[in-house]
Amino acid sequence: MTAFRTPARGRRAAALAVAAALLSLVGCSSSSGSDGSSGAATPPGMSSMASGPAASGSSAPAGATRITITDFMFSPATLTVRPGAKVTVVNQDSTVHTVTATEDKQFDTGSVAPGRTTTFTAPTTPGTYGYICTIHQFMTGTLTVS
């Protein structure tokens, strides 16, 4: 019977080693500035407030519009707002992200750390504004102002 137990223990040990390696890679996914900071500084004109796990499911203030970042995606990917509307950005992901207009930088949240929330003001000129995460440029979205 010992012959049957040894391979099972070996498989369990290998599975644990793989799990530990994956967890260590997740820990390496956060971005930091060249000075070692988390890159989570809030740019002028933006507000940033703590949003821990207990607050992550809370709703935006009445009349507010929200973009949630989860799993390296913006949700919703396409959002329509009124000119000059306040847009709340909630980062529920594991790393720092931005919401940055692709043309003329009409809006830019700067770095938003995991678990943090910030706001920006939508442009006052009606139109369609593409945006990206400048850190992960495959992340794209569209803000329509009408």
Side-chain angles (χ1 to χ4, degrees), residues 3 7 17 26 39 49 52 64 76 91 105 109 116 123 128:
V26 169
M49 42 193 168
N91 185 353
K105 303 290 187 228
T109 61
R116 302 288 290 189
T128 302

Side-chain angles (χ1 to χ4, degrees), residues 113-127:
R116 302 288 290 189
T117 300
T118 191
T119 60
F120 69 89
T121 303
T124 56
T125 304

Side-chain angles (χ1 to χ4, degrees), residues 61-101:
T65 304
R66 175 184 284 207
I67 297 171
T68 302
I69 304 170
T70 307
D71 296 328
F72 291 84
M73 294 185 299
F74 297 115
S75 179
T78 302
L79 179 66
T80 301
V81 299
R82 293 185 176 153
K86 297 288 184 195
V87 179
T88 301
V89 177
V90 180
N91 185 353
Q92 293 181 347
D93 216 338
S94 61
T95 191
V96 174
H97 292 291
T98 73
V99 175
T100 307

